[in-house]
Amino acid sequence: MSSQHSVKVVSPEQSAKARMAILRRLKFSDVIFENLAKAAAYTVLLLLGGIIISLIIGAWPAIEAYGLNFLTTTRWAPSLKPQPILGALGPIYGTLVSSLIAMIIAVPVGLGIAIFLTELCPHWLRRPISIAVELLAGIPSIIYGMWGFFVLGPYLAVHVEPQLIAFFADVPVLNAVFSGPASNLSLFNASLVLAIMILPFITSIARDVFTTVPPVLKEAAYGAGCTTWEVVWNIVIPYTRVGVIGGVMLALGRALGETMAVTFVIGNAFKIQSSIFAPSTTISAAIASEFAESGGLHQSALILLGLLLFVLTFIVLAAARLMLKQLETKQGK
Amino acid sequence: MKISTIFAAAGLMLGLSAPIAQAADISGAGATFPFPIYAKWADSYKKETGNGLNYQSIGSGAGIKQIQAKTVTFGATDAPLTAEELKKAGLVQWPMVMGGIVPVVNIDGVKPGELVLDGVTLANIFLGKIKSWDDAAIKKLNPTVTLPAAGITVVRRSDGSGTTFNFTDYLSKVSADWKSTVGAAASVEWPVGVGAKGNDGVAGNVGQTKNSIGYVEYAYAKQNKLTHVDLMNKAGKHVSPTMAAFQAAAANADWAKAEGYYVILTDQAGEQSWPLTAATFILMHAEPQDKAASTEALKFFGWAFAKGDKMAEELDYIPMPAPVVKLIEATWAKDIKTK
């Protein structure tokens, strides 16, 4: 019996050799693949490092000249003799406040759209709304800027801002936030444009993660007599919290760095004013407006502004990571 | 402007100096204000001679930097360099063409040229001291015009600009307050107002915002059909922004005596002179590295002086007067070593 079979069976050494050859070939291609992937990953680190280093080099004269005062000065006088007085507080304030207002508007609306699309929307309406939201993300920012400049700004200045100013005139604190005069170009206008721009980010990510909720969970909740609101609030959102926060942070990152649209509508004034209807500026708008014509310390200060934006965005992302981690550990208790 | 800004920023952040293609074409970079006329000249010149001009309108400050870095054959600026700065950088400077800056307003019921302001009042508006259109100082100058009791929205440039340099230079000459608190420069610390990018940005903003005031190059006011404001000039005369008034101011300038042609045409004497007239300048190295390219560039400028006047006037620029052109050509021969 065994002799009959031994004709077909390859000797153990031979088979091992053949297998080794195949494995070696596979290993070789694996090593190449691994190295290519590694190189791609390291390139990103290298680029990031290069950007940070060149920003620091470019910003060094300003760091030397102003030090920490740069962060607390509101004046921006690039041609003052003998030395310009330049401070970042105005643009930092404008960047943070415009992003904050944009988030306050865009997060509830964006999540609302996503909930409607995944839970409530009749089937035939889903696609048109989804496509419309995604198209919003595809519009170049300069178009938003032009729209904010030509359409939204004048409309707000005539039909919204005066009414808000009158409405809040007798409310303490808020009457300073909503104070006149109404202006076409303002922090408020920029915030609204930003809100519309980041809406699709929040909506499409939230919609995608909402659809990952296992139907059985929702069905069980509905079966137990939950209302749609209860299902969304107690099942869908807790299940997808991490993804939703990720989407919101991505949107915040975009809002902090958005340049052209904001430059069009914010009014580019290096001032901190209590009213959100007053012109202001953001870090990226300041750089976009002034970089080409700048020189010396002025240019260095603009690069330092860029470095600050970099740090600011980094802090936002790091904070998001930290929050997500805490959430995960809480869930895993 | 936008794209050039991004490229400049990107180039800088990567630590690269952007080299500019140096083919047979003449390369130049700088001021945005003369870009339309340079482009038009270049187009005709190419048709006539086959030689092209590659002009990047990236702003006066950037133009100065490019010529200092020798990445272009010539630089262009609206704010002239002083004789001292020229000597230090080894550059030769001359005026190429002139134009006018006009204050523009958007007030219901006020037609172009109806409103007149003097320098001090204009400065006080831009200082934020005059806040309303029915201010006594404005009323005094315009007893017959009905002015609203509405707040003034000041519109000014957000980017550094040769237009701003000339405008603030004028305000510094007529208002001691302006001179001490703001001064004259391409980008200043504005006490009030909203900043808009470029001449077109200011024009668009004034066109949209009721009760606003801004300042733009004459061509932009004309193209956008904005309401221009008349001014009281140095001689105390009421003048309108016309080619004749710009020319009157330009004729006043004593180019021959100005070292490096450093002449700022604002607030010139003369009964007809428009007080906000400005020249735009060309910069070239006295000892260029690429002598052939510089010869070509000078040929182009010579051609523009000889044949470009009509084209300039069509675009509302003022050509340099013939005697000044003679002076400039003598400067070329004397100061630029192309051989």
Side-chain angles (χ1 to χ4, degrees):
Chain A
M1 285 288 268
S2 65
S3 66
Q4 273 179 337
H5 283 285
S6 69
V7 184
K8 284 173 196 164
V9 173
V10 189
S11 77
E13 298 96 76
Q14 264 179 319
S15 96
K17 227 180 237 169
R19 212 180 310 153
M20 286 282 279
I22 292 169
L23 280 178
R24 214 175 296 131
R25 213 167 46 232
L26 285 177
K27 197 177 171 201
F28 179 66
S29 68
D30 240 20
V31 166
I32 290 185
F33 177 69
E34 188 191 329
N35 283 331
L36 279 177
K38 216 188 265 174
Y42 288 160
T43 311
V44 172
L45 283 182
L46 218 68
L47 271 176
L48 194 68
I51 291 170
I52 294 174
I53 290 168
S54 52
L55 278 178
I56 291 174
I57 292 173
W60 195 252
I63 295 174
E64 263 186 332
Y66 302 113
L68 282 178
N69 284 340
F70 190 68
L71 297 175
T72 53
T73 309
T74 44
R75 280 190 73 183
W76 188 266
S79 346
L80 211 65
K81 302 277 184 306
Q83 193 186 338
I85 294 177
L86 300 165
L89 201 56
I92 290 176
Y93 171 85
T95 305
L96 292 179
V97 173
S98 63
S99 296
L100 178 74
I101 299 174
M103 297 305 283
I104 290 174
I105 297 167
V107 169
V109 176
L111 292 184
I113 297 173
I115 290 168
F116 177 73
L117 282 176
T118 51
E119 303 298 327
L120 302 165
C121 184
H123 248 285
W124 60 270
L125 198 57
R126 261 179 216 188
R127 270 187 73 80
I129 294 184
S130 301
I131 290 173
V133 169
E134 268 151 33
L135 276 179
L136 274 184
I139 298 174
S141 64
I142 194 91
I143 310 279
Y144 282 107
M146 283 159 64
W147 177 76
F149 182 82
F150 286 113
V151 183
L152 185 64
Y155 180 83
L156 289 177
V158 178
H159 298 290
V160 178
E161 293 178 12
Q163 283 75 352
L164 281 173
I165 292 166
F167 186 78
F168 288 107
D170 299 326
V171 188
V173 183
L174 285 182
N175 61 2
V177 175
F178 299 98
S179 64
S183 166
N184 278 10
L185 305 182
S186 63
L187 195 56
F188 182 58
N189 187 352
S191 305
L192 284 187
V193 170
L194 272 181
I196 298 167
M197 292 180 73
I198 61 177
L199 195 63
F201 287 81
I202 297 173
T203 300
S204 37
I205 293 178
R207 191 197 53 199
D208 287 350
V209 295
F210 285 170
T211 52
T212 64
V213 178
V216 66
L217 283 184
K218 287 195 275 183
E219 279 156 19
Y222 280 122
C226 288
T227 60
T228 311
W229 166 253
E230 283 167 337
V231 170
V232 167
W233 193 245
N234 296 317
I235 308 289
V236 175
I237 296 215
Y239 191 87
T240 55
R241 200 157 30 188
V242 172
V244 169
I245 291 179
V248 168
M249 285 299 166
L250 197 68
L252 179 57
R254 163 117 204 223
L256 287 173
E258 175 49 42
T259 309
M260 271 343 279
V262 174
T263 310
F264 259 66
V265 296
I266 200 163
N268 302 302
F270 285 81
K271 284 219 155 80
I272 295 181
Q273 292 169 71
S274 67
S275 172
I276 60 169
F277 299 143
S280 179
T281 191
T282 67
I283 293 177
S284 47
I287 298 172
S289 303
E290 302 200 352
F291 197 85
E293 292 269 347
S294 65
L297 211 50
H298 182 198
Q299 189 165 67
S300 178
L302 288 172
I303 298 172
L304 183 52
L305 274 182
L307 185 64
L308 285 178
L309 182 62
F310 199 99
V311 172
L312 204 64
T313 319
F314 183 79
I315 291 174
V316 166
L317 289 178
R321 275 292 152 100
L322 207 71
M323 266 160 66
L324 292 178
K325 214 169 158 193
Q326 272 176 345
L327 278 176
E328 275 161 19
T329 40
K330 219 189 268 171
Q331 273 173 333
K333 69 189 164 186
Chain B
M1 192 69 188
K2 175 206 158 201
I3 289 170
S4 66
T5 310
I6 290 167
F7 274 118
L12 198 123
M13 280 164 195
L14 289 170
L16 303 170
S17 62
I20 281 137
Q22 203 132 26
D25 285 1
I26 305 156
S27 68
T32 48
F33 152 54
F35 174 63
I37 181 61
Y38 290 174
K40 192 163 186 182
W41 280 341
D43 194 39
S44 307
Y45 188 66
K46 176 131 195 166
K47 271 182 204 141
E48 225 170 271
T49 64
N51 291 332
L53 171 79
N54 171 18
Y55 182 75
Q56 310 178 340
S57 64
I58 51 178
S60 298
I64 293 170
K65 248 173 279 158
Q66 292 272 15
I67 184 68
Q68 280 173 344
K70 301 186 178 171
T71 48
V72 285
T73 311
F74 72 89
T77 174
D78 297 336
L81 298 182
T82 59
E84 199 181 315
E85 286 169 322
L86 288 172
K87 201 179 270 172
K88 218 171 107 190
L91 293 169
V92 179
Q93 170 176 266
W94 70 88
M96 198 62 216
V97 72
M98 298 174 285
I101 298 163
V102 293
V104 286
V105 294
N106 179 353
I107 309 169
D108 277 338
V110 173
K111 287 190 268 305
E114 232 177 36
L115 196 69
V116 60
L117 295 172
D118 59 15
V120 179
T121 311
L122 191 64
N124 283 338
I125 291 174
F126 276 82
L127 278 171
K129 285 189 175 170
I130 295 179
K131 289 183 164 54
S132 176
W133 282 114
D134 61 352
D135 190 278
I138 304 176
K139 270 190 173 162
K140 200 176 151 204
L141 287 161
N142 301 279
T144 56
V145 184
T146 352
L147 289 159
I152 302 174
T153 303
V154 169
V155 182
R156 36 77 179 176
R157 292 284 286 270
S158 61
D159 47 340
S161 122
T163 315
T164 300
F165 171 81
N166 283 295
F167 185 72
T168 52
D169 178 82
Y170 170 63
L171 296 185
S172 292
K173 280 177 181 160
V174 294
S175 156
D177 251 1
W178 183 274
K179 194 173 180 184
S180 62
T181 57
V182 183
S187 54
V188 295
E189 186 185 20
W190 295 98
V192 288
V194 296
K197 207 162 157 49
N199 271 302
D200 38 0
V202 172
N205 250 300
V206 171
Q208 290 230 316
T209 314
K210 287 268 173 281
N211 303 312
S212 61
I213 184 167
Y215 59 94
V216 291
E217 303 286 351
Y218 178 62
Y220 288 88
K222 202 170 153 183
Q223 279 162 17
N224 293 291
K225 300 194 171 58
L226 293 172
T227 307
H228 67 258
V229 175
D230 285 358
L231 289 171
M232 305 296 281
N233 65 13
K234 199 177 186 180
K237 292 279 185 282
H238 176 159
V239 280
S240 296
T242 57
M243 286 294 272
F246 301 154
Q247 263 156 350
N252 244 293
D254 195 353
W255 297 101
K257 287 209 187 99
E259 208 182 331
Y261 297 97
Y262 186 94
V263 171
I264 293 170
L265 293 170
T266 59
D267 203 29
Q268 291 290 324
E271 300 213 331
Q272 311 280 315
S273 296
W274 178 251
L276 277 167
T277 307
T280 182
F281 298 82
I282 298 286
L283 294 165
M284 273 175 74
H285 281 283
E287 289 183 36
Q289 277 176 332
D290 187 344
K291 297 191 189 315
S294 297
T295 312
E296 284 303 314
L298 288 179
K299 262 190 215 159
F300 168 74
F301 292 126
W303 174 91
F305 278 140
K307 298 191 176 176
D309 287 5
K310 209 168 154 275
M311 284 179 255
E313 278 165 6
E314 277 166 17
L315 290 175
D316 302 308
Y317 293 93
I318 310 148
M320 300 306 295
V324 183
V325 171
K326 283 229 166 63
L327 279 174
I328 293 169
E329 282 170 342
T331 303
W332 292 348
K334 188 162 68 72
D335 291 343
I336 301 181
K337 295 179 181 60
T338 50
K339 280 181 194 104

